[in-house]
Amino acid sequence: MKTQSCISGLVCPKCQNRYDHREAHNLCSCGSPLLAEYDIRRAAAAAGPEAIKNRPASLWRYEEMLPVLDGANIVSLGEGWTPLIPLAAAGAKYGFGKLYMKDEGIIPTGTFKARGAAMGVSKAKELGIRHVAMPTNGNAGAAWAAYAARAGMEAHILMPEDAPLITRNEIVAAGAQVHLVRGLISDCGKILARSIPARGWYDVSTLKEPYRIEGKKTMGYEIAEQMGWQVPDVIAYPTGGGVGIIGIYKALTEMRDLGWIGEKLPRLVAVQAAGCAPIVEAWRKKAGTSEFFPNSRTIAFGINVPRALGDFLVLDALYRTNGYAVAVDDAEILKTIPELASLEGTFICPEGAAVFAGLKKLRAGNWLKAGETAVLLNTGAGIKYPDTLKFDLPYCPVDGTV
Ligand SMILES: *Cc1c(COP(=O)(O)O)cnc(C)c1O
Ligand SMILES: [Zn+2]
């Protein structure tokens, strides 16, 4: 059955070139990522907060503003509509007005990468694509392998040998073709670029296809809807490739144009690890693009991206919303995981912990004011990182008592 999708084309944010959404595209001829564009007037007439209220609890509830044209092409594992959890104890401890966590840890495959994979694979299916290929640090590969398997599509995944074993196992179990590389994700990307012409696979690397971002933007729609179409003062996000924060900004401007939210947008905060902070460095210099961050290192492997293809879009979103970019070191991240778990019962991923650590700094410096409302994104489940925390525990003798 046809969806209510109001997609009207693909547009280059750099040179404004337009492309047909009924054909498969990667980057613009100028090298920029492409963004999906919608007929806002038609979408606003077709749906609004009232109509959406009673729809299924998944990201597909925003179908007017999603790219899939035929519902038969939707490949779903029940992704989206994750909880927005108030963090009352953690908020009170650091003097936040209101603090919420959008918890992506319970989504299929355990990270928000499922949103991008669900949308990207569904649209690839609609376009008749049979083979998708990508480099990954782990979480994206796991999500795309799962959705490709469900779609009956071949996935070709290149990953560094030291990417987390759990994600490697997920990818192999899903039947994808895995190629291990003794190098970095950037090396994987180069191998893929060399192989694609002969293979004819569809390159679904971060931001090289336009629909992953359409899946990830639904986090922005959900936050607004879950807050009664009132946006918070601040939304903070762990920024690697930047798809999530670009997507949330895209969602906010779309909702504003649709009249679903007011004119005032939240200030967006990009949080990075101190060991890989190209966006933070660029933001400090008020630069429009970032520079390659050499020898990057962090336990938060999802945000270990030394240079993002969409850096200019991330920075633009920060500048336009009077946002901020902040770095936190791995020691702070490691401390924050058990802190939040013990205060709130939420065992989150290192990337999510980085966000809370970053927000604490912004609150301490009063950039985030006492009465303000902040939403932090936890992008994955702590249980996907079984070896990140190490606790030394005392033993009780078997014949002893406690
Ligand atoms: C990929 C990833 C990120 C970074 O997301 P981008 O949208 O690429 O910036 C953050 N957290 C986790 C857990 C990830 O897997
Ligand atoms: Zn262009």
Side-chain angles (χ1 to χ4, degrees):
M1 225 191 33
K2 278 188 66 153
T3 68
Q4 301 295 317
S5 174
C6 296
I7 187 168
S8 54
L10 298 169
V11 185
C12 173
K14 229 177 210 164
C15 75
Q16 268 66 53
N17 249 341
R18 299 186 59 89
Y19 296 83
D20 191 337
H21 60 278
R22 288 160 300 188
E23 301 160 357
H25 290 286
N26 290 108
L27 297 176
C28 178
S29 56
C30 80
S32 166
L34 294 173
L35 298 177
E37 191 186 61
Y38 296 82
D39 183 339
I40 294 284
R41 271 234 219 117
R42 193 153 70 82
E50 271 309 306
I52 290 168
K53 200 159 70 188
N54 301 316
R55 292 185 181 172
S58 84
L59 60 77
W60 300 100
R61 63 200 277 115
Y62 307 107
E63 64 177 292
E64 285 81 4
M65 296 300 292
L66 296 176
V68 177
L69 302 175
D70 186 338
N73 294 320
I74 291 177
V75 183
S76 177
L77 292 164
E79 54 289 329
W81 205 249
T82 53
L84 187 69
I85 305 169
L87 301 182
K93 182 172 172 187
Y94 292 97
F96 285 90
K98 279 199 177 121
L99 181 63
Y100 294 89
M101 179 170 82
K102 178 79 170 153
D103 191 5
E104 298 287 297
I106 61 159
I107 210 164
T109 76
T111 75
F112 82 115
K113 291 289 194 300
R115 291 183 190 262
M119 198 61 60
V121 167
S122 297
K123 194 65 195 175
K125 183 177 172 193
E126 184 153 277
L127 293 166
I129 287 157
R130 306 283 317 134
H131 295 263
V132 292
M134 71 192 308
T136 182
N137 271 335
N139 286 338
W144 281 76
Y147 283 89
R150 193 164 176 82
M153 208 177 273
E154 291 273 341
H156 307 268
I157 312 277
L158 291 95
M159 64 196 306
E161 62 173 346
D162 58 0
L165 185 61
I166 177 79
T167 59
R168 191 201 291 186
N169 288 344
E170 287 176 87
I171 295 166
V172 177
Q177 303 293 316
V178 183
H179 309 273
L180 290 181
V181 176
R182 291 201 174 88
L184 304 172
I185 186 172
S186 46
D187 299 306
C188 298
K190 284 176 200 153
I191 297 170
L192 183 59
R194 279 199 295 273
S195 316
I196 285 245
R199 295 288 194 170
W201 300 332
Y202 186 53
D203 187 346
V204 296
S205 308
T206 304
L207 286 171
K208 285 196 182 163
E209 64 82 48
Y211 300 110
R212 187 199 289 219
I213 189 172
E214 295 303 295
K216 290 189 176 184
K217 81 177 181 187
T218 57
M219 290 186 289
Y221 279 86
E222 290 179 19
I223 289 169
E225 184 174 2
Q226 288 170 323
M227 300 190 88
W229 303 101
Q230 301 289 316
V231 295
D233 296 298
V234 167
I235 297 177
Y237 183 84
T239 304
V243 186
I245 198 163
I246 298 167
I248 289 171
Y249 179 67
K250 187 171 190 280
L252 290 166
T253 55
E254 286 173 355
M255 289 187 289
R256 182 191 60 196
D257 295 348
L258 285 159
W260 296 1
I261 61 171
E263 287 295 317
K264 192 169 160 277
L265 303 185
R267 281 127 63 206
L268 296 180
V269 174
V271 182
Q272 297 200 297
C276 183
I279 296 290
V280 176
E281 290 203 344
W283 181 81
R284 282 194 188 127
K285 291 187 256 174
K286 298 286 166 261
T289 56
S290 64
E291 275 162 40
F292 185 85
F293 197 97
N295 306 317
S296 66
R297 255 184 93 91
T298 169
I299 53 159
F301 66 84
I303 51 175
N304 191 348
V305 181
R307 171 132 202 233
L309 195 56
D311 58 357
F312 69 102
L313 295 171
V314 175
L315 290 159
D316 187 55
L318 300 183
Y319 299 138
R320 283 179 191 269
T321 62
N322 297 313
Y324 207 98
V326 60
V328 295
D329 61 37
D330 279 8
E332 291 173 77
I333 295 174
L334 284 171
K335 252 186 8 214
T336 301
I337 297 172
E339 182 188 30
L340 261 189
S342 58
L343 281 172
E344 302 283 359
T346 52
F347 185 42
I348 65 176
C349 65
E351 294 82 356
V355 178
F356 186 51
L359 279 181
K360 280 192 247 179
K361 283 191 178 182
L362 297 186
R363 179 68 199 98
N366 211 36
W367 183 83
L368 190 56
K369 308 280 183 313
E372 292 190 310
T373 301
V375 172
L376 77 88
L377 266 298
N378 172 45
T379 41
I383 51 175
K384 271 201 97 167
Y385 299 71
D387 305 315
T388 297
L389 293 180
K390 292 181 183 66
F391 298 110
D392 278 323
L393 295 178
Y395 282 88
C396 173
V398 283
D399 56 353
T401 56
V402 290

